[in-house]
Amino acid sequence: MGEWGFLSSLLDAVQEHSPMVGRFWLVVMLLFRILVLATVGSDVFEDEQEEFVCNTQQPGCKPVCYDAAFPISHYRFLVFHIVVLSAPAALFVIFAVHQAAKPGHGGASSQRTRRLQPFYVGSVVARIAAELGFLLGQALLYGFRVQPLFVCRRRPCPHRVDCFVSRPTEKTVFIHFYFVVGLISALLSLAELAHLLRKAPPPRSGCCRRPQERGPAPGQPAGAAEEHCCPNASPPRGDLTV
């Protein structure tokens, strides 16, 4: 679990800028993905190549058949999935720290949040694209069931070779679980994006007039004109938090 420590701490830093639904996504990411993959997934898939048994002694046949059955290891695919999903959040945290360190860019918390909101929305969009892409890739590469028998006809195998996969039922259950978690994570990301777009600052209504566009009011000294806005105009809402 130690190799996941840096990634977990980096994801924890995102919750400072996340709305409530984004924090639910973070919980799903840390508990049902990183924790489950680090504790259970490594045990499920650690013997997949050693226990991939073929009924032949032809040199080089078994590695070729394993490559045909699993173009990429399930475990490595899921690890790469988590890394790509975490990349947008990590880049946003790096950008936010860089902006806060710039002279004159500290400002009030609400102003800093409004400046960072477009970049956070972009990271959520990138996360959704990565999530949907990997869910589609998982379905195309492996399907939804690990078959106990794989029939191989590749060279240098001299004839049809039957290969047997270890613990296919257990691996099938794990793949189903991970796919369902991916769907839940995608739905949470879509809900977070909808929330951020709904809370985005509204466009200016155009009812404000600058002092040079009108003269001073009667009885008001010249140069004392001020910018007036509509009385019902609401302040911009740019918070990322609920």
Side-chain angles (χ1 to χ4, degrees), residues 13-221:
V14 181
Q15 68 178 342
E16 179 183 352
H17 305 277
S18 301
M20 184 60 67
V21 66
R23 295 173 185 176
F24 282 127
W25 173 85
L26 184 62
V27 170
V28 172
M29 183 73 169
L30 294 177
L31 292 183
F32 296 101
R33 281 192 153 163
I34 293 179
L35 185 61
V36 170
L37 188 61
T39 56
V40 179
S42 58
D43 295 332
V44 173
F45 297 104
E46 66 178 355
D47 63 344
E48 60 180 354
Q49 188 168 5
E50 291 78 4
E51 298 298 327
F52 187 78
V53 180
C54 300
N55 59 352
T56 181
Q57 297 295 324
Q58 174 69 30
C61 183
K62 177 181 174 180
V64 169
C65 292
Y66 179 81
D67 182 70
F70 304 105
I72 180 174
S73 166
H74 287 85
Y75 184 78
R76 293 182 180 90
F77 179 84
L78 298 178
V79 169
F80 188 56
H81 187 182
I82 289 178
V83 171
V84 173
L85 279 180
S86 306
L91 292 175
F92 172 76
V93 170
I94 294 173
F95 177 79
V97 172
H98 176 70
Q99 289 295 106
K102 281 186 176 181
H105 283 70
S109 176
S110 59
Q111 295 177 353
R112 184 169 63 252
T113 300
R114 282 193 294 269
R115 286 198 302 268
L116 293 175
Q117 186 178 27
F119 300 96
Y120 185 79
V121 171
S123 71
V124 174
V125 172
R127 181 208 306 165
I128 293 173
E131 188 76 77
L132 297 178
F134 272 91
L135 289 177
L136 180 62
Q138 179 179 343
L140 293 178
L141 279 175
Y142 309 113
F144 298 97
R145 188 169 187 270
V146 177
Q147 299 292 339
L149 173 65
F150 178 77
V151 178
C152 179
R153 293 183 175 90
R154 284 193 174 186
R155 295 179 59 88
C157 301
H159 48 75
R160 164 181 162 162
V161 174
D162 294 333
C163 298
F164 303 92
V165 181
S166 67
R167 296 183 294 178
T169 303
E170 186 177 2
K171 293 174 181 177
T172 299
V173 171
F174 190 88
I175 288 175
H176 286 173
F177 168 80
Y178 220 81
F179 193 83
V180 171
V181 171
L183 290 177
I184 295 174
S185 178
L187 291 176
L188 288 174
S189 297
L190 289 172
E192 182 179 5
L193 180 62
H195 171 78
L196 293 173
L197 295 178
R198 182 174 59 86
K199 297 286 288 184
R204 292 183 178 272
S205 60
C207 64
C208 296
R209 295 183 298 173
R210 299 187 178 278
Q212 61 268 24
E213 297 176 0
R214 63 181 183 85
Q220 188 178 20

